Amino acid sequence: MNISQLAKAVNVSTDTVRYYEKQGIIEAPERQENGYRAYTAAHVEVVRFVRGAQALGFSLAEIRVILPQVARGQFGRSDIEQQLQAKMAQIDAHIRQLQTLKTELKATFASLTCAPDRPVSTAHSTATDSGSGAGAARTRKTFTKPAAKSPAR
């Protein structure tokens, strides 16, 4: 099958197929006499595996490590379980990080004391390292009042 047929079979773009090939995710197919790539059913299986792993949150770098073991038949159930447990631990850590960030956002929102129509400047906010990894900025509770306008003459 050609690249467009492969792409259609696995519901990706031809650019995605080319990218996977360039990144070494899928093996380069043989070329036909006309120079077109000749993909096989094995390419379809690999792309489906990659898309499924990506849907579960695995990066292409993580998938690239797993694929050779899968291709050699050296990736068993215990390996899959280990990879899935590691991914779940990463997701749990990310959830905790997002919950910390949400708490910081709520605290920042609650600490706002200036009128809604007052501007906030960078001089009146600070970036804190709260451990959330998000580099959230915390606005100080006080703001400078804008300079009084001179009366019109």
Side-chain angles (χ1 to χ4, degrees):
M1 73 184 80
N2 65 30
I3 193 168
S4 63
Q5 292 168 324
L6 171 64
K8 186 175 182 178
V10 292
N11 200 29
V12 299
S13 69
T14 55
D15 287 339
T16 298
V17 175
R18 287 187 191 98
Y19 182 77
Y20 287 171
E21 187 179 328
K22 184 178 179 181
Q23 296 299 311
I25 301 294
I26 62 173
E27 291 183 19
E30 292 187 21
R31 297 275 181 160
Q32 299 173 0
E33 289 181 20
N34 60 7
Y36 289 179
R37 296 169 172 94
Y39 293 95
T40 65
H43 288 102
V44 172
E45 290 177 18
V46 171
V47 174
R48 282 190 178 139
F49 176 85
V50 170
R51 298 302 284 181
Q54 284 182 305
L56 292 173
F58 289 90
S59 69
L60 286 179
E62 291 167 326
I63 296 166
R64 188 180 292 112
V65 171
I66 296 169
L67 276 175
Q69 296 169 341
V70 171
R72 291 190 304 266
Q74 298 174 337
F75 200 76
R77 179 174 174 133
S78 63
D79 298 311
I80 293 170
E81 289 174 354
Q82 182 182 4
Q83 292 292 322
L84 293 173
Q85 287 173 343
K87 184 53 66 180
M88 287 187 288
Q90 287 176 349
I91 290 169
D92 288 340
H94 194 186
I95 289 170
R96 285 190 301 276
Q97 186 180 40
L98 289 171
Q99 288 171 331
T100 299
L101 178 58
K102 184 176 180 179
T103 300
E104 292 173 2
L105 288 167
K106 284 181 177 180
T108 300
F109 187 78
S111 73
L112 296 176
T113 59
C114 64
D117 61 340
R118 299 278 175 127
V120 177
S121 71
T122 56
H124 296 95
S125 61
T126 59
T128 59
D129 184 4
S130 63
S132 70
R138 217 179 272 241
T139 306
R140 291 187 186 161
K141 291 184 179 183
T142 59
F143 302 94
T144 57
K145 295 179 182 177
K149 294 180 181 178
S150 57
R153 294 185 187 183

